[in-house]
Amino acid sequence: MSTAPAVEVESLVKRFGDFAAVDDVSFSVEPGELFGFLGPNGAGKTTTISILCTLLTPSDGAARVAGFDVATQPGAVRSSIGLVFQEITLDDYLTGAENLKFHAVLYGCPPRQVRERAAPLLEMVGLTDRADQQVRFYSGGMKRRLEIARGLLHAPRVLFLDEPTIGLDPQTRAHIWAYVDTLREREDTTMFLTTHYMDEAERCDRIAIIDQGKIVAIDTPSALKASIGSDVVTIETADDALALEQVARGLSVDGELTDRGLRLHVPDGEGFVPRLFEHLSVGIRNVNVRRPSLDDVFMEYTGRDIRDAEAGANDQFKMNAMTRGFRR
Ligand SMILES: Nc1ncnc2c1ncn2[C@@H]1O[C@H](COP(=O)(O)OP(=O)(O)O)[C@@H](O)[C@H]1O
Ligand SMILES: [Mg+2]
């Protein structure tokens, strides 16, 4: 058994005109790992995944998947990977089982492999009973599950999932994750997924936080949270700016003003709160103490809240569209 990385990316760049959607990104994913890209809309997640799946060519740098170079060995890469993309790409007028067969023919899977794998995969994603029904009668969650089964049909070494649960309700998202966990137990597949959901990032072995085309941090979720090295105390007061000044002067604690109040990082949150009440002369409306979350990690490494970053991404998209010279 080789222990070469399942995915290896070196100084990868993807430019659209003058704009670098992926800007000098390097990382590697170990075999069997569940690796996640966490970032807001427009961060460069889909662009990176598209390069790894040979759907886009890199502008600079190199990437290998299952040991094959994406630029010079695209065929070998394609036969080593499975893909579950943001948009649903099933044929609505075929049944679930037919969709799997159709995909197998398209990708040149041996018929024997399809016979052996289709039924257990359908079972795994809970679609055995619906296998002979046309896909147009499936719910969004069922379609996604069928796509995951389809992505696994040719026993890929690496499965790429681009925002696999986007737009699905919380219950269906939980289901999909249960299948991902089952999958990890039964198959030794490396998984690379992108998400902008913090709870999904938490489930990964390691995550890379990507923002504006760059990886700003990469580690296990717990190591990233520990790297902040303190508790987070958020307070809402009658005058947050004044409170910040008093906290800085009286307690020597730095903080930042956010639209959800004043955020402070302290080693011992519970011990800090009584001192806070002693030192502040402004009225305190709300106090919250917690261990750092991935939201805090995102904030720490990008200086922005992931939700604000999301909102800003729409403007970014419009701007790119303009610089690309889009016409109606
Ligand atoms: N074909 C393209 N031409 C020009 N700009 C693009 C193209 N595809 C993506 N972009 C831009 O690259 C950036 C990253 O996009 P994308 O990789 O889709 O982000 P994410 O998947 O993280 O939301 C965005 O600003 C997007 O507008
Ligand atoms: Mg995307």
Side-chain angles (χ1 to χ4, degrees), residues 208-230:
I209 297 182
I210 179 166
D211 188 37
Q212 299 178 340
K214 288 187 191 299
I215 291 180
V216 294
I218 182 165
D219 214 325
T220 63
S222 56
L224 285 171
K225 286 184 281 185
S227 76
I228 295 189
S230 57

Side-chain angles (χ1 to χ4, degrees), residues 79-216:
S79 55
S80 314
I81 62 172
L83 246 184
V84 180
F85 251 42
Q86 238 165 305
E87 291 88 31
I88 302 246
T89 58
L90 298 165
D91 191 317
D92 266 349
Y93 286 86
L94 296 181
T95 67
E98 286 167 350
N99 262 287
L100 295 189
K101 268 186 218 138
F102 180 61
H103 174 85
V105 171
L106 221 59
Y107 284 79
C109 299
R112 190 167 147 264
Q113 192 173 36
V114 183
R115 275 198 305 276
E116 280 172 5
R117 289 181 62 84
L121 281 169
L122 283 167
E123 179 75 42
M124 188 184 79
V125 298
L127 288 174
T128 303
D129 296 346
R130 309 289 290 265
D132 297 321
Q133 191 174 37
Q134 284 184 349
V135 162
R136 65 194 167 111
F137 300 115
Y138 283 19
S139 68
M142 290 166 68
K143 287 182 182 174
R144 223 349 69 108
R145 275 145 51 191
L146 182 61
E147 290 199 310
I148 293 174
R150 186 181 66 176
L152 290 165
L153 195 59
H154 55 290
R157 289 173 58 192
V158 187
L159 180 65
F160 290 95
L161 302 138
D162 193 18
E163 312 238 19
T165 63
I166 198 161
L168 300 176
D169 60 86
Q171 198 191 351
T172 310
R173 286 178 58 204
H175 271 127
I176 301 243
W177 273 100
Y179 296 120
V180 168
D181 289 340
T182 312
L183 177 64
R184 298 194 69 198
E185 281 162 28
R186 294 206 200 153
E187 314 242 336
D188 195 20
T189 315
T190 306
M191 284 189 268
F192 183 116
L193 71 93
T194 72
T195 185
H196 62 270
Y197 294 123
M198 295 294 174
D199 58 322
E200 298 193 347
E202 288 276 1
R203 290 170 166 264
C204 297
D205 295 320
R206 281 191 310 139
I207 53 173
I209 297 182
I210 179 166
D211 188 37
Q212 299 178 340
K214 288 187 191 299
I215 291 180
V216 294

Side-chain angles (χ1 to χ4, degrees), residues 164-298:
T165 63
I166 198 161
L168 300 176
D169 60 86
Q171 198 191 351
T172 310
R173 286 178 58 204
H175 271 127
I176 301 243
W177 273 100
Y179 296 120
V180 168
D181 289 340
T182 312
L183 177 64
R184 298 194 69 198
E185 281 162 28
R186 294 206 200 153
E187 314 242 336
D188 195 20
T189 315
T190 306
M191 284 189 268
F192 183 116
L193 71 93
T194 72
T195 185
H196 62 270
Y197 294 123
M198 295 294 174
D199 58 322
E200 298 193 347
E202 288 276 1
R203 290 170 166 264
C204 297
D205 295 320
R206 281 191 310 139
I207 53 173
I209 297 182
I210 179 166
D211 188 37
Q212 299 178 340
K214 288 187 191 299
I215 291 180
V216 294
I218 182 165
D219 214 325
T220 63
S222 56
L224 285 171
K225 286 184 281 185
S227 76
I228 295 189
S230 57
D231 290 343
V232 181
V233 176
T234 315
I235 53 172
E236 286 168 50
T237 66
D239 184 346
D240 288 345
L242 179 60
L244 178 60
E245 209 182 293
Q246 292 183 349
V247 167
R249 212 169 348 101
L251 297 165
S252 308
V253 170
D254 290 330
E256 63 251 354
L257 289 171
T258 75
D259 55 359
R260 274 170 279 274
L262 183 58
R263 194 191 318 237
L264 307 167
H265 299 274
V266 294
D268 168 27
E270 283 89 352
F272 175 76
V273 171
R275 293 173 55 218
L276 189 65
F277 276 89
E278 263 168 48
H279 276 83
L280 286 190
S281 67
V282 291
I284 300 177
R285 292 181 181 147
N286 187 18
V287 180
N288 179 276
V289 182
R290 56 189 171 75
R291 307 282 172 259
S293 66
L294 284 178
D295 283 283
D296 300 311
V297 174
F298 188 85

Side-chain angles (χ1 to χ4, degrees), residues 16 19 21 40-47 86 163 316-317 320 324:
F16 297 111
F19 172 74
N41 274 325
K45 304 182 296 295
T46 298
T47 305
Q86 238 165 305
E163 312 238 19
Q316 177 72 59
F317 182 81
N320 293 340
R324 285 200 299 274

